[in-house]
Amino acid sequence: EKLMVPFKVEVDVDTIVLNRVREQLIGPKGFASGNLVQISRYYFTKNTNLEEALGWAHRAVTGLPFGQSNYETSRTLAIGYEKLNRFPPADSVMNSILPFATIGQYTGYGRNMLSLKRIDRAREVMLGAQKRFGDVYSVINGLSYLYSALGDYSKALEYATKTLEQASPQAKASISANIEKLKNRKDIN
């Protein structure tokens, strides 16, 4: 009764999940955009099965009868294209949906382009956000990161200072830290 025997059990979870997903998407669940977005994002995050996940993301936007062209479905489709280094179609999808994006979606997308090192695209998006929403907190904060990425520390500092003026008390410490970095000509990204 006190004998312990160690043994190892290995299971190929990814294959099991993928096969189960394929089964599920053949039925009614395969018509719901939300399900298609969720499973596409799962595989985009895992960076595996990208072509099939791109197909699901495309179906979430355009599939009949329940495809939905909204920010969430379109952003998921664009992420799939980005994962596959297909930037022209990713940009095209996003250009079609950005006019309907909220300020958070717009600036979040711009910041995402910075993280992907797509600086020119980030500039286009962030300047578009400024044109559409004005010099509000989210936009000018995003612009401080953009100009920092461009190496224009004086312009980044200008926007970071404006951001500090509009910041909540909780955000002031991190913005002040960014301002100090920019004064020392250090990238805040």
Side-chain angles (χ1 to χ4, degrees), residues 31-34 36-37 41 56-78 81 89-102 105:
F31 290 103
S33 294
L36 294 165
V37 164
R41 291 241 177 167
W56 294 327
H58 192 269
R59 205 164 95 199
V61 175
T62 63
L64 294 175
F66 301 114
Q68 295 181 23
S69 181
N70 59 40
Y71 187 85
E72 184 69 20
T73 58
S74 297
R75 182 68 191 118
T76 301
L77 179 58
Y81 285 127
D91 294 348
S92 177
V93 167
M94 290 309 297
N95 288 345
S96 71
I97 204 68
L98 277 174
F100 308 102
T102 66
Q105 292 166 334

Side-chain angles (χ1 to χ4, degrees), residues 98-130:
L98 277 174
F100 308 102
T102 66
I103 190 170
Q105 292 166 334
Y106 219 115
T107 56
Y109 173 59
R111 292 286 302 274
N112 185 253
M113 292 299 97
L114 285 176
S115 71
L116 293 176
K117 307 292 186 213
R118 297 192 61 212
I119 308 300
D120 288 339
R121 178 65 176 168
R123 179 189 349 231
E124 178 184 337
V125 171
M126 293 308 297
L127 292 176
Q130 185 180 35

Side-chain angles (χ1 to χ4, degrees), residues 137 140-141 144 156-180 183:
Y137 177 83
I140 58 178
N141 188 44
S144 70
L157 182 58
E158 174 188 328
Y159 280 107
T161 303
K162 287 181 183 180
T163 302
L164 185 62
E165 293 168 7
Q166 294 184 25
S168 68
Q170 299 84 359
K172 287 188 185 277
S174 64
I175 296 167
S176 294
N178 283 349
I179 287 172
E180 288 306 311
K183 284 179 180 177

Side-chain angles (χ1 to χ4, degrees), residues 1 12 17 25 58 64 68 72 101 110 135 144 152 154:
E1 77 186 53
D12 185 358
V17 169
L25 293 181
H58 192 269
L64 294 175
Q68 295 181 23
E72 184 69 20
D135 284 344
S144 70
D152 188 343
S154 60

